[in-house]
Amino acid sequence: MKIGVLALQGDFDQHRKALARVRLAGEPVESVEIRKTEQLDEIDGLIIPGGESTTLLKLMGDWGFVPALEKFHAAGKPIFGTCAGLILLAKEVDRPKQFAFGFIDVDVERNAYGRQRESFATPGVVELDAPRPLEMVFIRAPRIRRAGPGVTVMARHRDEPVMAREGTILVAAFHPELTHDPGVHEYFCRMVARRRTALPPA
Ligand code: GLN
């Protein structure tokens, strides 16, 4: 099993470090930086990191990633988006409005946690396969303003959803790659592993 981290812009290196701490049944997980669409064929799941969603979108457009990711998603391969990655995977994006893939039925508002509090860390609890305490780091984070009925909310901050899953799509408004706990990455790898065994061989 191999996990790709989209490495066009943003904190992809931290995600690779988090993946390096993951153990699935005692085994490490292989990861690779993705810069070309052809590489998507080699991986079983993809992480879209935080960064600047407008810049990421531009680079993805330049390098043909929009149709390539639509194909990747249609093939049932899981995608995990953090912060800017969440913004890209959402259905509607506000402030300002911009293109999003619409792979998960949530609407987000960019940079919506207020100026003075652009970045903060707070203790929280995430519902992985069991509830787990986790420090949640928010950096100019988007706010999930709406989550559709098919979406499972996995963590909240002040009663608002900050982590969610729908089918093969996992999103977080915060940055689990910036804490030492690899729990969220481990959860995503389990999603990918389960999906992989469920898919017919290529
Ligand atoms: N504010 C950024 C955006 O709107 C996201 C910030 C992040 O990914 N840490 O794209």
Side-chain angles (χ1 to χ4, degrees):
M1 185 176 95
K2 209 193 261 187
I3 307 285
V5 183
L6 190 65
L8 299 177
Q9 195 258 345
D11 79 332
F12 50 87
D13 195 45
Q14 294 298 328
H15 277 285
R16 289 203 66 208
K17 288 183 177 137
L19 286 168
R21 294 195 286 269
V22 169
R23 293 292 176 274
L24 282 192
E27 294 295 315
V29 169
E30 209 184 324
S31 79
V32 61
E33 290 178 8
I34 302 292
R35 294 197 170 80
K36 296 219 166 94
T37 54
E38 305 87 83
Q39 294 176 278
L40 293 172
D41 293 336
E42 305 163 22
I43 57 169
D44 305 292
L46 178 72
I47 296 180
I48 305 181
E52 188 58 46
S53 57
T54 316
T55 310
L56 251 170
L57 260 182
K58 165 145 195 338
L59 294 170
M60 287 170 89
D62 290 352
W63 293 94
F65 271 97
V66 175
L69 277 196
E70 271 159 0
K71 196 169 141 217
F72 188 85
H73 175 57
K77 293 187 180 180
I79 307 176
F80 174 28
T82 54
C83 205
L86 150 64
I87 296 171
L88 295 185
L89 295 170
K91 188 155 254 173
E92 297 276 342
V93 176
D94 206 4
R95 284 179 193 241
K97 290 212 178 298
Q98 65 186 23
F99 169 85
F101 283 96
F103 293 165
I104 181 164
D105 189 17
V106 301
D107 296 343
V108 299
E109 186 183 335
R110 291 178 60 197
N111 301 317
Y113 278 101
R115 256 175 194 270
Q116 312 87 307
R117 309 182 56 210
E118 276 179 347
S119 305
F120 60 98
T122 182
V125 175
V126 291
E127 278 296 326
L128 299 176
D129 290 316
R132 178 172 182 135
L134 188 81
E135 162 138 278
M136 301 193 289
V137 181
F138 292 83
I139 303 171
R140 297 180 57 236
R143 224 161 170 145
I144 298 178
R145 291 298 194 188
R146 185 194 63 85
V151 173
T152 304
V153 172
M154 299 172 66
R156 291 178 191 272
H157 170 61
R158 296 180 180 243
D159 267 352
E160 291 180 346
V162 290
M163 180 172 173
R165 175 176 174 183
E166 185 175 28
T168 54
I169 302 293
L170 182 69
V171 292
F174 58 93
H175 290 267
E177 75 283 7
L178 297 181
T179 53
H180 291 292
D181 185 337
V184 173
H185 288 76
E186 222 156 72
Y187 177 87
F188 179 66
C189 290
R190 282 200 299 275
M191 263 172 74
V192 176
R194 282 188 201 126
R195 187 73 208 173
R196 196 167 170 260
T197 48
L199 287 173

